[in-house]
């Protein structure tokens, strides 16, 4: 499996996600697979309910993910908010679940469990996406898919759809503005970042 990652890829292959799902995998088998990918960059592994999901994000996926991070960083800096971007840092509960989100953040202070995780979805992927974050008790999860953000807040061990972040530090974040600027970045990252920053100053 690792050897397949090192073969030359075409520009089309580099642009799209490569996505694999295997069921009937024990935790011990998952840990062996995870160890096998330890030195492979650009590979994200997820495990929940004996299912492993392997994602090798393409260029478009990574571009969107990184730019969301840029915009959230601008928001925090402009609003004097202390934040810790923890990226795709592995979150896991031994023997049960392991995730590597596209982006993750702590706000205010550093915490073992991030306040927010974000996944950019270019393929349908596993139907258990929210369930595995629920098992980890991640307070808030955002998905970017088909040009929109879907926000979920954990309440009583169940995620509910929300229209605005309930993380106190992000209370002033205009999700519509964020959405518009992420979409704008498909043509110009600089214009999108400047539009976002200027809107924050009004």
């Amino acid at each position: 499996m690792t050897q397949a990652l090192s073969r030359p890829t075409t520009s089309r292959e580099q642009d799209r996600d490569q996505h694999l799902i295997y069921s009937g995998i024990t935790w011990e088998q998952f840990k062996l697979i995870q160890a096998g990918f330890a030195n492979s960059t650009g590979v994200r592994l997820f495990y929940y309910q004996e299912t492993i999901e392997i994602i090798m994000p393409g260029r478009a996926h990574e571009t969107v993910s990184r730019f969301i991070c840029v915009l959230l960083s601008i928001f925090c800096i402009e609003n004097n908010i202390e934040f810790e971007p923890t990226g795709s840092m592995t979150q896991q509960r031994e023997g049960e679940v392991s995730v590597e989100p596209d982006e993750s953040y702590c706000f205010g202070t550093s915490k073992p469990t991030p306040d927010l995780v974000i996944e950019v979805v270019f393929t349908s992927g596993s139907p258990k996406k929210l369930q595995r974050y629920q098992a980890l008790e991640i307070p808030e999860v955002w998905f970017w898919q088909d040009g929109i953000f879907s926000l979920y807040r954990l309440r009583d061990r169940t995620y509910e759809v929300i229209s605005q972040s309930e993380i106190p530090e992000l209370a002033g974040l205009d999700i519509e503005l964020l959405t518009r600027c992420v979409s704008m970045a498909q043509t110009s990252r600089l214009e999108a970042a400047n539009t976002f920053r200027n809107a924050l100053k009004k």
Side-chain angles (χ1 to χ4, degrees), residues 8 13 20-22 26 47 87 109 128 145 150 153 184:
E13 288 176 322
L20 301 168
I21 296 178
Y22 298 101
T26 66
Y47 179 87
T109 60
K128 301 175 182 177
Q145 186 173 17
S150 299
R153 185 72 186 182
M184 186 185 300

Side-chain angles (χ1 to χ4, degrees), residues 12 32 35 49 51 62 66 70 73 76 105 123 142 149 157 162 174 190-191 193 195:
R12 178 178 292 182
L32 289 173
Q49 292 184 339
T51 298
E62 293 290 71
R66 295 299 179 269
V70 168
S73 297
C76 290
Y105 300 86
T123 55
W142 299 2
F149 280 104
R157 301 183 63 83
I162 55 175
D174 185 336
L190 180 60
E191 181 182 359
T195 298

Side-chain angles (χ1 to χ4, degrees), residues 17 30 42 56 72 85 88 90-91 140 142 163 176 178 187 192 197 202:
D17 291 356
F30 165 69
M56 291 153 274
L72 286 180
S88 58
T90 300
Q91 294 286 316
E140 200 161 294
W142 299 2
S163 58
E176 290 186 4
L178 181 67
T187 54
R197 182 187 288 111
K202 292 181 179 179

Side-chain angles (χ1 to χ4, degrees), residues 163-176:
S163 58
Q164 174 66 40
S165 175
E166 296 185 6
I167 297 168
E169 291 83 355
L170 299 184
L173 177 63
D174 185 336
I175 298 299
E176 290 186 4

Side-chain angles (χ1 to χ4, degrees), residues 69-78 80-86 104-111 115 169-170:
C69 181
V70 168
L71 294 182
L72 286 180
S73 297
I74 290 173
F75 177 83
C76 290
I77 292 167
E78 291 292 332
N80 200 34
I81 296 169
E82 187 63 66
F83 69 108
E84 181 182 31
T86 49
S104 60
Y105 300 86
C106 294
F107 298 96
T109 60
S110 180
K111 309 172 184 72
D115 297 305
E169 291 83 355
L170 299 184

Side-chain angles (χ1 to χ4, degrees), residues 39-83:
N39 297 319
S40 298
T41 59
V43 179
R44 306 226 171 92
L45 303 178
F46 300 82
Y47 179 87
Y48 186 59
Q49 292 184 339
E50 297 189 341
T51 298
I52 182 172
E53 183 177 8
I54 305 172
I55 299 177
M56 291 153 274
R59 185 187 184 100
H61 184 132
E62 293 290 71
T63 299
V64 170
S65 173
R66 295 299 179 269
F67 194 71
I68 291 172
C69 181
V70 168
L71 294 182
L72 286 180
S73 297
I74 290 173
F75 177 83
C76 290
I77 292 167
E78 291 292 332
N79 288 279
N80 200 34
I81 296 169
E82 187 63 66
F83 69 108

